[in-house]
Amino acid sequence: MNFTVTDLSLMLPEIFVLSMACIILIVDAYLPERLRDLTYQLSQGTLVGAAILTLGIQPESSTLLMSDLFISDAMSVVLKSFVYLIVFAVLLYSRAYLHNHKLFCGEYFVLVLMATLGMMVMISAHHLLTLYLGLELLSLSLYALVAIQRDSSQASEAAMKYFVLGALASGILLYGMSILYGLTGTLELSEIAKAIATGQIEPQLLSFALVFIIAGLAFKLGAVPFHMWLPDVYQGAPTAITLFIGSAPKLAAFAMVMRILSEALPDLHHDWQNMLIILAVLSIALGNIVAIAQTNIKRMLAYSTISHMGFLMLGLLVAKPDGYSAAMFYTIVYALMSMGGFAMLLLLSRAGFDAENLDDLKGLNTRSPWYAFIMMVIMLSMAGIPPFLGFWAKWAVLSQVVAHGFIWLAVLAVIFSVIGAFYYLRIVRLMYFEEPSDTAPLQVNTDMHLAVSVNGLAILALGILPQPLLQVCIQSIS
Amino acid sequence: MFAELPLLSLLIWLPIVGGAWVLLQGKNKDMATVRPVALFVAVITFLLSLFLYSGFDSSTAAMQFVEKHNWIAALNTYYHLGVDGISMPLIILTSFINVLVVLAGWEVIQKKPAQYMAAFLIMTGLMNGVFAALDAMLFYVLWEAMLVPMFIIIGVWGGPNRVYAAIKFFLYTLLGSVLMLIALLYMYNQSGSFGILDFHQLQMGMTAQTLIFLAFLVAFAVKVPMWPVHTWLPDAHVEAPTGGSVVLAAIMLKMGAYGFLRFSLPITPLASHQLAWMMVVLSLIAVVYIGFVALSQKDMKKLIAYSSIAHMGFVTLGFFIAFLIYDKTGQIGNGSVLGMEGAIVQMISHGFISGALFLCVGVLYDRVHSRQIYDYGGVANTMPLFAMFVVLFAMANSGLPGTSGFVGEFLVILGSFEAGFWIAFLAATTLIIGAAYSLWMVKRVLYGSIAEDKMETVGKLSDINGRETFILSTLAVMVLFFGIWPEPLLDVMHVTVANLLDHVHQAIQSAR
């Protein structure tokens, strides 16, 4: 292995986040309780710094580093920037909640930064080993985060479930990777693609490896029938943690799927296309139908996530750059919406009270017309109603599906999304048509107020003019 | 001097921005400014819309007041607006009705007035956009976005069963329109553009046309609504506040009909030709069967709602008899032109009449808080001025000559004679059924003496005040004006209608 200065400079963001996470861990250990906010500020500073580094030293074309273990390309820059943005917002949204629930501790921030590092590694991986390392770094941090509320039995159960099933999924993925290694003799993504392109490998064995890999990926995405962990974890974890799990890691998961399927296994796309079709249809159908029966919003949003993952796969399965950029657009939009939705739940929570049942939203329009409006924007956007951003995400994906001849798939998807619209509308209904049952005044910090407002208005504004975000996604995949 | 102004953009964005501004006013505890500001925005929008009429060149079928800007380059969609003789009157109607709706909610709406006014203003902008859009994606976005304010209006200010009605309304129309989205995406892949006028030039095979026609049919038939997908309408109408019912009946229903003219007929002429019999049958069922259904209603709003469905049956009948006439005579008959123009006149006229009737029910409801016919009787004794207006609008609703209701129905019946005697016969029964349900309601509500047990309610009614008189008399003037002299309306649409029929017939001919 030979390092060059370029290698190091393009990896600076990762190095920076890692060092800062260690520094914060040490600094936090010596901080008196009243200065704990410094940890928060340092973490936010880390993210800003990483963003500056990432955007400041973009490669001109995609560059392989560290003996081809690591890639820096347009897609990685865009996805990482959004990861920083989302994690930044997550920390901001969670702050008051963590204080109120006595969870405001150094470990939280270090774990979030470690998870962020894991995501960055996944996004930039060009080697199955790097990919796996990033994934495990992310997953282990998330397991610990779910369990961070030690005396809550619900959270502990969720963490346990998450850990066991997550480890199983990692095992399955790893098994698929090892078969692939056995067949191709390499772990580097482009080398795998080359080996498969020679056509000298037994196709049945390749499909065998593919099945394990797809199952592992579907598990991480939360696609039906590998979705079982998702509702329990979303519901069981403290809302601030659910907010984190439900947003940024989806970007990393998308990157992982992209790297493996489009960079390592493009020649097998006929095989994985069919698998993705099944996963996508099941996810959209089951997610939307089961969500209707939920009374817990976190659980409802978990099922909604499952259906969104189905839509994301619709974009991936066309196996063309246009489809990939549509899926990427969908993922980013989804993360923005999910972040806003959970942020509203955090906003309605206070010390000793978690807003997580549908009834907690009753009459929000009377309590605060502005937040009701923001929540309505987010819910309608998730339902895919124009002129909100979520509509364009669905539109981008559907247009790719139609363009590649899967009209029946598009028809199924839209019909299920109408069914899904019902439970999003139910939230709008509760907020606008009912009288409030909880009349405690909302206490919202200025930074939270601003961030939630910007989040909601961005979904509306980008819904009216989606061109910039779409353009970014199209340009980053070519 | 107004030629340089982006008139259509103003008509869309002025009410939306005005509505947003009104919404922000709602934060202040002092609501005094909300209503005047809303009215001001509505009136300015209406006055601006009149410039569409004065600047309109009725000698061409080309789109006018065209604006075209890049919107989303990545998706090849444009912010493309324009009007022809079909959409221009509808935009003016929309802006006009909006003024009346704002006035009608003046004192009546005490709960969250800022949100109420804002919802109507924003909806008006969106509806103007639907009629002006020449890019299919822009059309679709506005078409769906419009559901949101209506959903809120029904759900927040509606009657006892409003939640059910609001959700039914939303899901019904959403389900209808998503299939249209797929059809639009398919056509984009065929033509490489989202321009509606480019879609008109598409040459597609019979199967593709049929599927697309059916996808459009689901979207537009729900909106019109045609039998048998009309069931959302009675619920929505009955539960919506007066203003909501007026906008639903006067404008939203017209969007479905407009969709047939802008999309179904010119884009899928072969399929329209093939399935014209089905459309005619469905329209006749709406006219006759729904007419009888209206006759048996006990709730005044429900009665008018069913009457709306029956009248919209006339509109779809007028569109599709053209194909039957073509089959019979082999050319664009005079009847086709009469039918189509009659249908468009009917759209406008029904906008005035149904709006007026809903406002009349609203007047009674505000005083007695009941919509049931049996809670009234002898209202003419206490509200003579009001009774005069109700009788006029009921007469117009049943198609009395001299009112605008007559013009449209008469033209459509005249046209359908060319398509076949029995079609015309069945269509003409509406003159009897329509008169029966309209006048019977008038008789039961207005006339007779006031019963003993209603002395406390009906006996103490106060006649309409200046605001209500103003609203109803404006509508009365419009109804009479277009009834006596429909030329101004017919003039602007002659060329557009002729061009549309010509386009359709050429497509059928070249396919032979």
Side-chain angles (χ1 to χ4, degrees):
Chain A
M1 258 190 206
N2 47 347
F3 291 138
T4 63
V5 181
T6 16
D7 282 13
L8 282 180
S9 76
L10 284 173
M11 288 190 68
L12 259 184
E14 279 81 3
I15 297 170
F16 177 69
V17 172
L18 176 63
S19 330
M20 283 306 287
C22 298
I23 292 171
I24 290 169
L25 184 63
I26 296 165
V27 168
D28 181 75
Y30 293 98
L31 275 183
E33 192 57 42
R34 65 193 160 77
L35 290 178
R36 191 72 68 204
D37 262 354
L38 187 62
T39 317
Y40 167 78
Q41 280 138 11
L42 276 176
S43 311
Q44 294 292 50
T46 307
L47 292 166
V48 174
I52 293 171
L53 287 173
T54 303
L55 293 171
I57 26 180
Q58 293 182 35
E60 274 162 25
S61 56
S62 54
T63 314
L64 291 172
L65 316 166
M66 312 285 281
S67 315
D68 301 351
L69 283 170
F70 194 89
I71 187 170
S72 182
D73 57 3
M75 183 178 95
S76 69
V77 170
V78 172
L79 284 177
K80 278 182 203 169
S81 312
F82 275 102
V83 165
Y84 305 141
L85 176 74
I86 290 165
V87 176
F88 184 90
V90 163
L91 292 181
L92 199 159
Y93 289 148
S94 311
R95 191 174 166 201
Y97 180 94
L98 294 172
H99 268 302
N100 289 337
H101 290 70
K102 311 245 175 311
L103 295 172
F104 197 86
C105 52
E107 295 89 317
Y108 170 80
F109 294 98
V110 175
L111 284 170
V112 167
L113 285 180
M114 281 299 180
T116 310
L117 179 63
M119 292 187 253
M120 293 161 71
V121 173
M122 279 166 83
I123 289 170
S124 271
H126 191 66
H127 193 277
L128 289 178
L129 211 55
T130 333
L131 197 62
Y132 187 74
L133 277 176
L135 175 66
E136 283 308 285
L137 184 54
L138 168 65
S139 305
L140 285 169
S141 314
L142 290 183
Y143 305 147
L145 277 172
V146 174
I148 203 165
Q149 199 170 18
R150 274 173 306 177
D151 33 2
S152 154
S153 58
Q154 210 191 7
S156 309
E157 186 197 324
M160 196 57 125
K161 206 164 193 169
Y162 192 18
F163 176 69
V164 173
L165 291 177
L168 184 70
S170 299
I172 293 175
L173 187 64
L174 207 51
Y175 190 49
M177 287 176 177
S178 67
I179 301 175
L180 207 56
Y181 178 66
L183 292 172
T184 58
T186 173
L187 284 171
E188 200 210 308
L189 301 181
S190 49
E191 292 296 321
I192 295 176
K194 272 183 215 155
I196 293 174
T198 57
Q200 309 210 321
I201 301 169
E202 183 69 36
Q204 269 164 331
L205 290 175
L206 274 178
S207 320
F208 192 63
L210 187 63
V211 168
F212 282 100
I213 287 179
I214 294 276
L217 293 178
F219 212 103
K220 295 294 174 190
L221 280 175
V224 179
F226 305 101
H227 66 285
M228 306 298 185
W229 60 275
L230 211 131
D232 291 329
V233 172
Y234 269 47
Q235 186 182 3
T239 311
I241 310 296
T242 315
L243 162 72
F244 183 52
I245 298 177
S247 50
K250 306 295 177 200
L251 293 180
F254 165 77
M256 175 170 71
V257 176
M258 273 291 291
R259 296 284 181 211
I260 295 187
L261 294 186
S262 87
E263 287 178 21
L265 308 170
D267 286 325
L268 298 180
H269 76 263
H270 281 296
D271 297 302
W272 53 258
Q273 190 171 51
N274 288 331
M275 296 182 198
L276 287 189
I277 288 179
I278 297 170
L279 291 172
V281 170
L282 287 177
S283 302
I284 294 172
L286 187 124
N288 276 325
I289 291 173
V290 178
I292 293 176
Q294 307 306 320
T295 53
N296 181 296
I297 303 180
K298 282 155 80 179
R299 209 174 171 82
M300 191 200 90
L301 287 176
Y303 282 103
S304 126
T305 303
I306 294 172
S307 75
H308 284 296
M309 290 303 120
F311 267 96
L312 192 163
M313 280 185 280
L314 287 184
L316 289 170
L317 64 80
V318 301
K320 293 276 169 8
D322 291 348
Y324 298 145
S325 48
M328 180 168 163
F329 181 63
Y330 200 101
T331 319
I332 293 173
V333 170
Y334 166 75
L336 289 177
M337 297 188 301
S338 160
M339 193 169 86
F342 284 113
M344 287 300 302
L345 294 187
L346 293 178
L347 194 146
L348 295 174
S349 303
R350 54 181 177 272
F353 171 74
D354 264 312
E356 56 175 25
N357 287 319
L358 284 174
D359 284 351
D360 297 332
L361 284 172
K362 261 190 181 172
L364 187 59
N365 185 32
T366 309
R367 292 169 73 193
S368 163
W370 179 245
Y371 293 133
F373 173 74
I374 298 284
M375 187 64 168
M376 178 177 77
V377 167
I378 293 166
M379 285 299 124
L380 293 177
S381 173
M382 281 198 180
I385 308 290
F388 307 109
L389 188 52
F391 166 73
W392 294 107
K394 286 212 164 63
W395 188 91
V397 166
L398 287 174
S399 72
Q400 288 307 315
V401 172
V402 171
H404 293 88
F406 299 102
I407 294 179
W408 64 273
L409 208 52
V411 172
L412 263 183
V414 294
I415 288 176
F416 279 111
S417 68
V418 173
I419 295 174
F422 173 77
Y423 60 84
Y424 297 117
L425 281 183
R426 185 166 57 187
I427 290 193
V428 179
R429 183 200 98 190
L430 287 168
M431 292 190 302
Y432 278 84
F433 306 170
E434 311 258 330
E435 291 304 316
S437 53
D438 174 4
T439 47
L442 295 170
Q443 289 166 337
V444 186
N445 298 333
T446 322
D447 54 348
M448 178 86 173
H449 173 77
L450 277 178
V452 170
S453 308
V454 168
N455 198 162
L457 290 180
I459 290 173
L460 176 61
L462 283 171
I464 295 169
L465 290 170
Q467 170 72 12
L469 189 53
L470 264 170
Q471 198 60 39
V472 165
C473 293
I474 289 172
Q475 273 168 359
S476 67
I477 295 178
S478 46
Chain B
M1 76 186 244
F2 286 95
E4 306 83 33
L5 273 182
L7 203 49
L8 290 172
S9 281
L10 277 177
L11 286 173
I12 296 171
W13 290 102
L14 180 70
I16 293 181
V17 172
W21 201 67
V22 168
L23 207 53
L24 292 177
Q25 295 297 302
K27 276 180 102 175
N28 309 337
K29 286 284 163 268
D30 170 34
M31 296 281 186
T33 56
V34 164
R35 293 181 177 95
V37 168
L39 182 65
F40 178 73
V41 174
V43 169
I44 295 287
T45 311
F46 171 59
L47 292 179
L48 279 176
S49 75
L50 290 179
F51 287 109
L52 279 186
Y53 189 86
S54 64
F56 191 80
D57 175 6
S58 56
S59 65
T60 167
M63 290 295 165
Q64 307 185 29
F65 300 99
V66 174
E67 294 169 38
K68 188 170 184 178
H69 307 285
N70 269 325
W71 180 27
I72 311 171
L75 306 175
N76 206 3
T77 57
Y78 291 88
Y79 178 77
H80 189 183
L81 303 173
V83 287
D84 61 5
I86 298 169
S87 49
M88 189 269 288
L90 289 167
I91 292 181
I92 300 178
L93 176 72
T94 310
S95 311
F96 171 70
I97 292 291
N98 185 41
V99 176
L100 299 188
V101 164
V102 167
L103 273 177
W106 198 261
E107 300 139 15
V108 185
I109 301 295
Q110 290 300 334
K111 178 179 166 192
K112 302 193 177 74
Q115 293 188 4
Y116 180 85
M117 296 297 176
F120 278 103
L121 288 176
I122 292 173
M123 196 160 57
T124 301
L126 297 174
M127 291 188 298
N128 278 341
V130 168
F131 291 126
L134 290 181
D135 182 277
M137 282 322 295
L138 183 62
F139 173 86
Y140 186 83
V141 165
L142 294 163
W143 169 275
E144 294 251 297
M146 183 181 76
L147 297 180
V148 179
M150 199 55 177
F151 176 72
I152 303 279
I153 287 168
I154 298 177
V156 177
W157 294 276
N161 204 11
R162 59 203 161 126
V163 174
Y164 169 77
I167 290 189
K168 189 172 179 180
F169 160 78
F170 197 102
L171 290 184
Y172 227 117
T173 29
L174 183 64
L175 182 63
S177 29
V178 289
L179 292 177
M180 174 168 77
L181 177 66
I182 307 278
L184 296 178
L185 288 174
Y186 176 81
M187 288 190 294
Y188 171 68
N189 283 311
Q190 299 292 310
S191 69
S193 147
F194 272 114
I196 295 175
L197 300 179
D198 296 333
F199 287 169
H200 291 188
Q201 306 306 327
L202 267 181
Q203 309 276 342
M204 287 180 291
M206 197 61 212
T207 327
Q209 284 210 10
T210 311
L211 289 173
I212 290 173
F213 180 85
L214 291 176
F216 280 140
L217 178 62
V218 176
F220 300 143
V222 166
K223 208 79 165 188
V224 166
M226 294 177 76
W227 184 88
V229 285
H230 63 278
T231 58
W232 63 270
L233 183 87
D235 284 309
H237 264 323
V238 169
E239 299 302 332
T242 306
S245 302
V246 171
V247 171
L248 264 175
I251 300 151
M252 282 216 181
L253 307 193
K254 309 306 178 288
M255 284 181 182
Y258 172 76
F260 280 118
L261 290 181
R262 184 65 82 226
F263 288 88
S264 303
L265 293 185
I267 296 176
T268 58
L270 300 184
S272 307
H273 183 213
Q274 186 113 7
L275 294 170
W277 62 271
M278 180 182 83
M279 302 301 292
V280 168
V281 169
L282 291 180
S283 308
L284 287 174
I285 292 178
V287 170
V288 179
Y289 166 72
I290 299 291
F292 280 113
V293 173
L295 201 52
S296 66
Q297 296 306 314
K298 298 190 181 75
D299 182 314
M300 289 189 281
K301 266 189 155 180
K302 236 178 187 157
L303 190 149
I304 304 166
Y306 279 111
S307 136
S308 291
I309 304 172
H311 282 92
M312 290 308 287
F314 251 93
V315 175
T316 44
L317 179 70
F319 293 162
F320 283 92
I321 49 171
F323 295 99
L324 300 190
I325 295 172
Y326 181 77
D327 275 345
K328 235 178 159 178
T329 61
Q331 57 188 350
I332 314 174
N334 199 25
S336 313
V337 179
L338 288 178
M340 198 159 289
E341 291 189 351
I344 299 170
V345 172
Q346 172 83 337
M347 280 160 72
I348 304 287
S349 132
H350 179 255
F352 294 130
I353 298 170
S354 66
L357 284 171
F358 277 118
L359 285 167
C360 289
V361 177
V363 165
L364 286 178
Y365 185 79
D366 293 339
R367 288 168 169 72
V368 183
H369 297 287
S370 166
R371 295 181 307 254
Q372 304 302 322
I373 293 175
Y374 60 71
D375 281 334
Y376 297 92
V379 171
N381 296 316
T382 42
M383 301 176 76
L385 186 59
F386 172 70
M388 182 192 85
F389 282 115
V390 176
V391 171
L392 171 71
F393 294 129
M395 291 291 187
N397 198 39
S398 50
L400 186 82
T403 63
S404 62
F406 172 74
V407 181
E409 291 184 11
F410 184 68
L411 288 175
V412 173
I413 294 172
L414 216 57
S416 43
F417 259 111
E418 248 179 79
F421 170 75
W422 287 106
I423 296 175
F425 175 81
L426 285 172
T429 55
T430 192
L431 294 175
I432 302 163
I433 308 170
Y437 59 68
S438 306
L439 299 182
W440 194 31
M441 178 180 80
V442 165
K443 187 216 146 218
R444 286 181 292 169
V445 172
L446 296 183
Y447 297 124
S449 52
I450 303 170
E452 281 299 312
D453 59 329
K454 289 174 193 147
M455 274 319 220
E456 279 306 299
T457 52
V458 179
K460 297 212 168 124
L461 282 177
S462 53
D463 210 338
I464 43 178
N465 60 27
R467 179 181 58 88
E468 289 161 337
T469 315
F470 174 75
I471 300 173
L472 292 180
S473 45
T474 350
L475 282 165
V477 168
M478 300 312 282
V479 166
L480 290 173
F481 178 80
F482 286 116
I484 295 164
W485 193 41
E487 275 312 299
L489 188 54
L490 288 168
D491 265 348
V492 297
M493 68 175 73
H494 280 318
V495 182
T496 312
V497 168
N499 179 56
L500 174 63
L501 284 171
D502 197 47
H503 170 81
V504 170
H505 285 103
Q506 263 173 14
I508 296 173
Q509 220 137 34
S510 65
R512 288 224 164 126

